[in-house]
């Protein structure tokens, strides 16, 4: 029997006043995939978790693969779009990096299930979606790398990208490291990430 933690909830890190049925299904799918693995969840399981029949899910998605593709592409799109906005609004590269770290820490705490799914079920992602996610992720890494190179004179691009990836590893550890309440955990992650990047806390 499904426990209450699989009830349909919010999809993004923002508080939503009205969540579409499609978004609810994606959230529930992410929670179930994280708990059981993509191949351990049936369409009937997904339908039961959202209070509808398995076949009724096909009104919203053509397949379980399509659900996985949409959830992982959408989180990469969100990371990049918000990251670009944070950089554009920042007063200089150090502030931009601090804003990126703050954003990614918030994302990692709010989307633990999706982090697990992307890490574990990457190979189940359809080829076209996998390439789209790779493209978005490269652009997101380069967004960070550009600001790092502005902060650290002489930093080569490959090293800047490596620093960004290592920081993502720290921030995306929340499914395992998030042992504190979200607010102090967020502060801890931000402090550690900024220290690793050599950027002072604003």
């Amino acid at each position: 029997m499904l426990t209450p933690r699989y009830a349909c909830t919010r999809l993004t890190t923002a508080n939503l006043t009205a969540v579409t049925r499609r978004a609810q299904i994606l959230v529930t799918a992410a929670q179930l995939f994280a708990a059981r693995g993509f191949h351990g969840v049936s369409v009937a399981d997904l339908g039961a978790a959202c209070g509808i029949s398995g076949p009724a899910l096909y009104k919203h998605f053509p397949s379980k693969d399509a659900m996985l593709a949409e959830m992982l592409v959408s989180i990469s799109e969100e990371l990049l779009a918000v990251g670009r906005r944070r950089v554009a609004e920042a007063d200089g590269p150090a502030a931009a990096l601090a804003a990126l770290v703050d954003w990614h820490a918030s994302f990692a705490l709010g989307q633990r299930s999706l982090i697990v799914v992307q890490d574990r079920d990457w190979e189940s992602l359809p080829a076209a979606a996998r390439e789209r996610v790779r493209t978005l992720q490269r652009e997101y890494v380069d967004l960070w790398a550009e600001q790092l190179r502005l902060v650290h004179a002489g930093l080569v691009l490959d090293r800047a990208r490596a620093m960004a990836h290592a920081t993502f590893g720290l921030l995306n550890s929340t499914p395992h490291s998030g042992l504190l309440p979200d607010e102090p955990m967020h502060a801890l992650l931000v402090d550690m990430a900024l220290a690793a990047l050599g950027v002072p806390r604003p």
Side-chain angles (χ1 to χ4, degrees):
M1 177 177 292
L2 295 173
T3 59
R5 69 193 180 97
Y6 296 122
C8 296
T9 53
R10 62 189 175 90
L11 177 64
T12 65
T13 53
N15 291 324
L16 302 179
T17 57
V19 183
T20 67
R21 191 60 163 163
R22 184 183 182 87
Q24 290 176 336
I25 291 169
L26 284 175
V27 171
T28 303
Q31 293 171 337
L32 288 173
F33 293 166
R36 304 182 189 177
F38 177 72
H39 296 293
V41 178
S42 69
V43 172
D45 293 333
L46 290 167
C50 275
I52 59 178
S53 68
L57 288 175
Y58 294 118
K59 296 177 182 178
H60 303 279
F61 298 94
S63 66
K64 196 173 71 165
D65 286 355
M67 292 181 207
L68 181 65
E70 183 162 330
M71 72 174 65
L72 295 188
V73 169
S74 68
I75 63 168
S76 294
E77 289 174 340
E78 184 184 8
L79 278 169
L80 181 58
V82 177
R84 283 173 170 166
R85 186 165 68 247
R86 292 289 186 98
V87 169
E89 294 170 351
D91 184 18
L97 283 168
L100 286 170
V101 167
D102 178 78
W103 154 235
H104 199 113
S106 296
F107 177 88
L109 285 166
Q111 299 291 5
R112 300 180 204 201
S113 292
L114 289 174
I115 290 172
V116 172
V117 172
Q118 177 155 305
D119 183 55
R120 189 177 57 200
D121 294 313
W122 173 258
E123 293 302 322
S124 298
L125 197 61
R130 195 180 309 143
E131 186 54 38
R132 175 65 176 154
V133 171
R134 282 197 183 107
T135 298
L136 291 164
Q137 289 178 341
R138 283 193 294 266
E139 292 178 18
Y140 187 58
V141 168
D142 283 345
L143 181 68
W144 285 62
E146 180 182 358
Q147 300 307 310
L148 282 166
R149 296 184 75 199
L150 291 171
V151 167
H152 300 292
L155 182 64
V156 298
L157 181 58
D158 284 349
R159 186 174 178 85
R161 286 171 171 161
M163 290 171 68
H165 277 291
T167 304
F168 299 160
L170 166 65
L171 296 173
N172 290 343
S173 70
T174 52
H176 315 290
S177 68
L179 304 179
L180 302 175
D182 281 358
E183 187 173 345
M185 193 67 209
H186 181 278
L188 177 62
L189 289 170
V190 168
D191 285 344
M192 293 180 69
L194 291 177
L197 296 171
V199 176
R201 211 184 202 290

